Amino acid sequence: MSRIFNFSAGPATLPQPVLEAVAAEMLDFGGQGMGIMEMSHRDKPFMQVAAEAEADLRTLMNIPANYKVLFLQGGATGHFSFIPMNLLAGKTRADYILTGDWGKKAAKAAKDFCSVNIAATSEETKFTTIPDRAGWRLNPDAAYVHITPNETIHGVEFLDTPDVGNVPLVGDFSSTILSRPVDVSKYGLIYAGAQKNIGPAGLTIVIVREDLIGKVLPGLPPIFNYAEQAANDSMLNTPPTFAWYMAGKVFKHLLAGGGLEAMAAVNQRKAEKLYGYIDREAFYTNPVDKACRSWMNIPFTLADAEQDAAFLQGAKAAGLAGLKGHRAVGGMRASIYNAMPEAGVDALLDYMKEFVRTRG
Ligand SMILES: *Cc1c(COP(=O)(O)O)cnc(C)c1O
């Protein structure tokens, strides 16, 4: 068996030691004579896995005690709607900062439930920057301010948490959660689909300050109600047990590797290697403002788009997959999440250099 380097934006590559550990207990989890996938979520062994995953995530992210951690479904896209349903709490307005297509989608979904104020957008730059904080037109009556800390398609990342005063800050961390330390106390709510930096698709993590939940829009089904889910340990119905279990394995793997500070050091080094080369080599271009370049998703174009197909074909032959850029941006995109080894970035750089030498 030989594994390739998978640069897919999501679902994405997972840590090999985690995959090996999961494979080893696929048929028999902990001497139970059955796999974890086949077990009731109410059985003790799974309940323990679930509780440990939450405890480990709390340790990893240093989550304060007054925050609930929920293991839900629906994807980040589902929560684009569940968030206003849960957080409006009698208010009628929410602020959105747009730095890419995911934030745009989140704002559009919220329009079904409240009056959405686009307090700032960098769309006129084709989402290659973050609007200057001083120019944000925030509404003091907003129920929350929504940002997308890392825009997966455009490769634009907030490298600092913006100060929005007393209005709760909500962040769609789908493609950057666990890539670096984050001060959870600066957010009212953090959410992330698992399939980029956590584990398999089907799990969505919500970390929410407990005083913000419980006052939902009338008619909201309990399954979408964060307070109900919190009161039931995210087990109002059958949770995505396998994804939850695997996320727990990833959390333990990260803790054993030194936690998020250690991850951040590696991630920064990986990203700087790639940006450094792209900036030095005229054949490749990354259009994003240097102050907000993503550590996780690095889009780049070739000087000659006619060569895109040859680039991708050669990459595949060299064991480098998933590099085709998003259709909204074109060109290439290298997603280098936590689980992408530094050797994968080195292999990509070698290939990019070789491509310029032979075709550039
Ligand atoms: C992938 C992604 C989404 C969509 O996630 P789903 O789980 O497919 O709904 C939303 N926001 C961001 C930032 C993403 O990267």
Side-chain angles (χ1 to χ4, degrees), residues 74-78 80 102 148 150 152 172 174-175 193 195-196:
T77 304
F80 290 168
W102 287 116
T148 310
N150 184 62
T152 320
D172 173 3
S174 293
S175 52
Q195 69 272 21
K196 277 109 188 201

Side-chain angles (χ1 to χ4, degrees), residues 18-359:
V18 167
L19 293 170
E20 283 163 358
V22 168
E25 40 190 50
M26 187 65 78
L27 301 184
D28 180 5
F29 176 80
Q32 299 293 313
M34 64 174 92
I36 195 100
M37 256 191 282
E38 304 166 283
M39 196 179 288
S40 166
H41 56 296
R42 310 277 179 205
D43 281 354
K44 246 196 180 139
F46 181 78
M47 294 285 272
Q48 188 174 336
V49 162
E52 272 181 39
E54 177 178 339
D56 287 339
L57 183 61
R58 284 185 178 276
T59 305
L60 262 178
M61 293 185 70
N62 197 16
I63 300 174
N66 62 327
Y67 283 70
K68 300 290 188 190
V69 177
L70 307 176
F71 290 77
L72 303 176
Q73 303 183 54
T77 304
H79 292 265
F80 290 168
S81 303
F82 308 154
I83 284 166
M85 290 167 154
N86 279 275
L87 294 195
L88 284 169
K91 299 204 168 186
T92 57
R93 297 160 191 276
D95 286 344
Y96 280 73
I97 309 299
L98 307 190
T99 53
D101 284 352
W102 287 116
K104 252 177 107 169
K105 287 200 166 104
K108 183 159 183 272
K111 278 185 188 149
D112 287 340
F113 310 102
C114 61
S115 149
V116 167
N117 170 40
I118 305 302
T121 174
S122 57
E123 188 158 20
E124 69 280 2
T125 73
K126 295 194 177 149
F127 295 127
T128 54
T129 188
I130 292 176
D132 190 21
R133 171 69 191 82
W136 294 11
R137 294 173 307 274
L138 296 175
N139 184 334
D141 288 332
Y144 60 87
V145 182
H146 183 284
I147 64 169
T148 310
N150 184 62
E151 279 285 356
T152 320
I153 295 171
H154 300 84
V156 172
E157 183 160 12
F158 281 83
L159 299 177
D160 288 306
T161 305
D163 182 1
V164 295
N166 288 330
V167 177
L169 183 60
V170 171
D172 173 3
F173 274 77
S174 293
S175 52
T176 185
I177 192 165
L178 305 180
S179 67
R180 62 166 83 212
V182 41
D183 184 349
V184 174
S185 72
K186 289 190 171 158
Y187 289 85
L189 186 148
I190 283 173
Y191 66 112
Q195 69 272 21
K196 277 109 188 201
N197 225 2
I198 297 176
L203 170 70
T204 313
I205 290 191
V206 173
I207 302 165
V208 60
R209 220 175 68 207
E210 61 192 7
D211 61 288
L212 298 177
I213 56 176
K215 207 171 160 212
V216 301
L217 286 193
L220 180 67
I223 202 82
F224 302 143
N225 182 324
Y226 294 156
E228 294 266 1
Q229 287 287 10
N232 289 276
D233 295 326
S234 308
M235 292 196 199
L236 213 48
N237 72 327
T238 314
T241 54
F242 186 73
W244 192 332
Y245 149 85
M246 250 185 105
K249 287 250 188 268
V250 170
F251 301 156
K252 285 195 192 299
H253 172 73
L254 294 177
L255 284 170
L260 300 192
E261 254 137 52
M263 255 356 286
V266 178
N267 285 330
Q268 182 170 22
R269 198 163 65 228
K270 282 167 17 189
E272 281 176 359
K273 263 187 191 179
L274 210 38
Y275 287 120
Y277 173 67
I278 290 170
D279 288 345
R280 279 194 308 277
E281 172 50 65
F283 186 72
Y284 300 109
T285 305
N286 169 283
V288 178
D289 182 349
K290 284 189 178 141
C292 49
R293 281 174 161 181
S294 170
W295 289 7
M296 295 283 103
N297 309 95
I298 303 187
F300 61 93
T301 51
L302 314 189
D304 174 12
E306 298 272 293
Q307 300 214 44
D308 283 2
F311 182 92
L312 288 167
Q313 205 180 358
K316 200 162 175 226
L320 310 168
L323 285 163
K324 190 171 168 37
H326 190 277
R327 60 195 178 280
V329 174
M332 308 298 151
R333 172 176 49 175
S335 294
I336 52 172
Y337 299 119
N338 285 351
M340 171 57 65
E342 196 160 352
V345 173
D346 292 337
L348 173 60
L349 281 169
D350 287 345
Y351 172 70
M352 289 169 76
K353 288 173 190 169
E354 181 64 13
F355 192 83
V356 172
R357 204 179 58 78
T358 55
R359 313 275 306 243

